[in-house]
Amino acid sequence: MNWRSFGYAVVSAFGNHVMGKVPSFRLRHAYYRHVLGYHVGSDCCIHMGCFFTGKQVDIGSNTILNRDCYVDGRLGVQIGANCSISPEVYILSMDHDPQSPDFATCGGVTTIGDNVWIGVRAIILGGVTIGEGAVIGAGAVVTRDIAPWRIAVGNPAREIKDRNRDLRYQCRYFTWFDTDIQMDP
């Protein structure tokens, strides 16, 4: 038995099934940073119910991961600053080659640029890069790179138009428990 892998599996499972449900951003973020070794930028908002796997997760400052997101850091996930990731989004880094007789894995580091907005229940496949300022529509399945400042929708996601580059907001969405009732800023 590989005791090192087993130990990391235990702390990961505890993170997902216990700490991920603790109604304190501060405690959850401390666990992700100091126990799992993830980079979690300042003023991030990782909401309750998020599920993490793998060791390579990097989240920029002022980024929101809303409730019940799935983040697959086995090959690496890099999320930029000031991103808004809606509930139940899947961000993958690893998959299987459907043509492989041995069910071989494939994928790569998934990169999400700064100021990206991803709609509810979108799926981002492994190795994809979403450029700075892009918007991914609700339910979209992103199978290939999305250019910066473009809006992409559908399955498979396709770019449909440019996004306004004059952004004046800063993502900050700290809520009480698992509600949409915001804490005072």
Side-chain angles (χ1 to χ4, degrees):
M1 175 183 281
N2 183 336
W3 288 104
R4 191 172 193 179
S5 292
F6 178 77
Y8 193 78
V10 169
V11 297
S12 292
F14 186 79
N16 288 324
H17 299 290
V18 177
M19 293 305 297
K21 293 172 179 34
V22 169
S24 166
F25 286 97
R26 191 171 294 199
L27 289 175
R28 283 195 307 275
H29 293 176
Y31 193 85
Y32 299 142
R33 284 182 181 115
H34 302 295
V35 177
L36 295 179
Y38 297 160
H39 173 265
V40 178
S42 62
D43 271 341
C44 276
C45 304
I46 301 174
H47 286 254
M48 292 173 66
C50 288
F51 187 98
F52 293 92
T53 188
K55 296 180 180 181
Q56 300 175 62
V57 176
D58 188 321
I59 304 168
S61 298
N62 296 97
T63 287
I64 300 164
L65 263 85
N66 218 308
R67 291 184 299 275
D68 300 324
C69 288
Y70 179 96
V71 180
D72 171 13
R74 291 176 292 175
L75 295 179
V77 169
Q78 297 173 346
I79 302 171
N82 207 47
C83 294
S84 179
I85 301 174
S86 299
E88 300 180 23
V89 167
Y90 273 63
I91 303 170
L92 306 174
S93 67
M94 188 181 286
D95 200 351
H96 291 277
D97 178 355
Q99 300 299 343
S100 169
D102 300 318
F103 205 52
T105 58
C106 59
V109 175
T110 301
T111 305
I112 299 171
D114 295 342
N115 300 303
V116 168
W117 172 18
I118 302 177
V120 67
R121 292 188 175 167
I123 300 170
I124 316 302
L125 295 185
V128 165
T129 295
I130 299 175
E132 177 183 3
V135 174
I136 307 302
V141 179
V142 182
T143 60
R144 61 178 178 239
D145 293 353
I146 302 297
W149 303 101
R150 295 288 288 164
I151 298 173
V153 299
N155 180 3
R158 69 186 196 297
E159 297 175 17
I160 58 169
K161 61 183 165 182
D162 288 334
R163 180 186 190 192
N164 174 17
R165 292 176 185 236
D166 182 26
L167 302 181
R168 294 180 223 148
Y169 65 86
Q170 190 170 39
C171 290
R172 195 168 196 290
Y173 189 57
F174 290 96
T175 61
W176 291 106
F177 309 108
D178 62 348
T179 70
D180 287 326
I181 300 168
Q182 284 188 273
M183 298 175 177
D184 294 330

